């Protein structure tokens, strides 16, 4: 997860503003609250995964899905775009937002999906983990 934060930080540093705009932006990962995923998959098939997340302030908006693969392990998070302004307000509604991605099963065995849920008090990453077997 440290790699994720390093990539996000690097993107933030490389992020530039257009000449017409004084607004600056940064990227921030948002915790995945819950997911809808299959309990088993079939080789060669495509499955839609749904993730639910919350926007912490009025300056946050959905940007993309962070997705990293390492052998059969997939680490997934929601990436938000944050407008850096003084008038951002904390979101008090309890709204859940949905984002989806398609997953194509390309190997046998099983896949481990790790959905990032933030950090604990010591700064360690917390994941919602699922192992999904692949059927032939």
């Amino acid at each position: 997860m440290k790699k994720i934060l390093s990539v996000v930080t690097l993107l933030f540093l490389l992020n530039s503003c257009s000449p017409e705009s004084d607004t600056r932006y940064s990227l921030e990962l948002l915790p995945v609250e819950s997911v809808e995923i299959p309990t088993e998959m079939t080789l060669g098939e495509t499955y839609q995964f749904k993730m639910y997340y919350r926007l912490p302030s009025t300056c946050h908006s959905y940007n993309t899905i962070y997705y990293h693969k390492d052998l059969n392990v997939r680490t997934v998070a929601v990436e938000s775009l944050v407008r850096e302004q003084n008038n951002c307000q904390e979101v008090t509604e309890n709204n859940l937002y949905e984002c989806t991605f398609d997953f194509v099963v390309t190997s046998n065995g099983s896949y481990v999906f790790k959905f990032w849920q933030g950090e604990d008090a010591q700064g360690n990453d917390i994941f919602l983990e699922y192992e999904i077997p692949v059927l032939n």
Side-chain angles (χ1 to χ4, degrees):
M1 195 62 201
K2 302 287 184 210
K3 291 179 187 177
I4 294 172
L5 295 176
S6 297
V7 170
V8 171
T9 302
L10 179 61
L11 289 174
F12 168 70
L13 293 174
L14 296 176
N15 188 22
S16 63
C17 297
S18 65
E20 303 87 34
S21 173
D22 289 338
T23 305
R24 294 188 180 269
Y25 295 90
S26 62
L27 300 174
E28 182 179 311
L29 296 179
L30 299 177
V32 174
E33 297 281 331
S34 62
V35 296
E36 290 181 21
I37 59 175
T39 56
E40 58 187 30
M41 300 183 293
T42 302
L43 184 63
E45 296 293 320
T46 301
Y47 295 87
Q48 185 176 76
F49 285 49
K50 293 182 182 180
M51 298 187 301
Y52 296 92
Y53 64 96
R54 298 180 199 285
L55 295 174
S57 82
T58 56
C59 289
H60 285 76
S61 60
Y62 173 80
N63 186 49
T64 192
I65 294 173
Y66 173 86
Y67 185 87
H68 176 75
K69 62 181 182 177
D70 182 22
L71 300 174
N72 71 328
V73 177
R74 303 297 186 266
T75 303
V76 188
V78 175
E79 183 181 277
S80 68
L81 189 63
V82 184
R83 282 187 329 272
E84 296 180 6
Q85 296 178 328
N86 294 332
N87 62 347
C88 299
Q89 296 177 358
E90 184 177 334
V91 173
T92 56
E93 300 93 35
N94 211 11
N95 295 339
L96 277 178
Y97 296 92
E98 175 186 308
C99 60
T100 62
F101 67 94
D102 290 334
F103 180 75
V104 179
V105 182
T106 59
S107 67
N108 290 319
S110 63
Y111 287 92
V112 175
F113 287 88
K114 297 170 63 175
F115 297 93
W116 189 72
Q117 292 197 297
E119 296 179 342
D120 63 16
Q122 290 76 37
N124 299 314
D125 294 314
I126 303 168
F127 296 97
L128 183 60
E129 293 188 34
Y130 294 95
E131 185 169 351
I132 303 174
V134 175
L135 308 175
N136 291 332

